[in-house]
Amino acid sequence: MWSKIDGLFVNSRGIFDLRALEDPIALKTDWGPLVSSGWNICTHRLSSIQGRRQMQVAPMSHLFCLFCISLGVVISAFVTDQLNNPSPSAVTSGNMPLWLVPIFPYIFSAYGIGMHWWLYRKNVLFDKKKGVYVRQGRSFSLDEVHAIQLIGERCYGNNQFNSYEMNLVLKTGERFSVTDHGSLRGIRVDSERLAEYLGIPVWDLVDYDIRTAMH
């Protein structure tokens, strides 16, 4: 088992030469971000289910989606009550058709439902007994998995934040995304637990700049 490289994600990072891993597959593997953008919260965590391992939606992500769904319902109920209230301070529809006013807040609920569905589609099940891992309803052979890759990415938008990727590296050098989110501690703990379960190494280069080392 490869030793985990300790440290923190910082702006000024050291250079890591991939040849130090002494593995030709590491040299064939792409070390840039596999998933565009990222998350500044922890979206998924690894759990144990009857001798299997599953990367599944984290509790905070469940709560966020539930909050969005509930927000739309509550606002819609409030607006409906105000429209039925004849008092001068009641909500008015303005230029919007009256029937559409109570429906419009459900955009929050639709967002929450859509996000929940999208997060669930990113669940990954690992079954060592059957020798497969399952993502988006498709099964893949665990025999082809060579290592777990951990890398970081600086994301820019309204706020800047760090997001981290856990990827499966196949024997061909190809990669598959397991999860990507903003909790470095969580993704490191889960990668070690998954690597121990699968009996493969963890290539944790979150703390290093490897771009120049590849030339």
Side-chain angles (χ1 to χ4, degrees):
M1 180 74 65
W2 296 103
S3 300
K4 188 172 80 172
I5 303 171
D6 295 321
L8 298 175
F9 189 96
V10 292
N11 292 331
S12 179
R13 302 185 296 177
I15 303 299
F16 187 88
D17 190 339
L18 289 176
R19 292 172 296 182
L21 293 176
E22 298 181 348
D23 190 324
I25 295 179
L27 299 176
K28 295 194 302 181
T29 300
D30 188 354
W31 288 86
L34 177 60
V35 180
S36 60
S37 69
W39 293 85
N40 60 355
I41 62 172
C42 181
T43 61
H44 292 76
R45 291 303 306 267
L46 189 71
S47 64
S48 300
I49 305 174
Q50 299 179 345
R52 301 174 295 178
R53 301 294 183 269
Q54 183 171 23
M55 190 63 69
Q56 60 183 17
V57 182
M60 285 302 297
S61 297
H62 279 295
L63 290 176
F64 175 76
C65 294
L66 181 60
F67 170 78
C68 292
I69 295 170
S70 301
L71 182 63
V73 174
V74 169
I75 294 177
S76 178
F78 173 77
V79 170
T80 300
D81 180 70
Q82 291 294 301
L83 288 175
N84 293 330
N85 186 348
S87 67
S89 60
V91 175
T92 59
S93 62
N95 296 325
M96 185 180 296
L98 193 63
W99 63 269
L100 188 58
V101 177
I103 297 177
F104 185 75
Y106 280 112
I107 190 171
F108 296 105
S109 300
Y111 175 81
I113 293 171
M115 182 61 65
H116 211 229
W117 173 82
W118 187 84
L119 289 172
Y120 261 94
R121 278 179 55 83
K122 290 178 68 68
N123 286 359
V124 184
L125 177 66
F126 298 88
D127 191 332
K128 191 165 62 172
K129 184 176 181 180
K130 293 183 178 180
V132 299
Y133 65 98
V134 182
R135 56 195 299 267
Q136 297 184 10
R138 297 180 58 192
S139 297
F140 302 86
S141 174
L142 283 175
D143 290 337
E144 298 300 316
V145 178
H146 181 71
I148 293 175
Q149 177 193 61
L150 287 188
I151 54 176
E153 176 186 8
R154 187 67 174 169
C155 299
Y156 299 89
N158 294 331
N159 298 306
Q160 298 183 20
F161 60 91
N162 297 325
S163 185
Y164 308 95
E165 292 188 8
M166 182 199 301
N167 303 317
L168 296 182
V169 179
L170 305 186
K171 294 177 180 178
T172 59
E174 186 181 1
R175 300 181 298 168
F176 282 101
S177 172
V178 178
T179 188
D180 63 298
H181 58 69
S183 174
L184 177 56
R185 179 182 179 277
I187 208 166
R188 276 180 162 160
V189 169
D190 288 342
S191 66
E192 289 291 345
R193 291 173 57 204
L194 182 58
E196 182 179 1
Y197 174 74
L198 298 178
I200 57 177
V202 178
W203 294 338
D204 182 353
L205 299 186
V206 165
D207 306 322
Y208 293 85
D209 185 350
I210 61 174
R211 290 173 296 179
T212 56
M214 296 176 67
H215 294 301

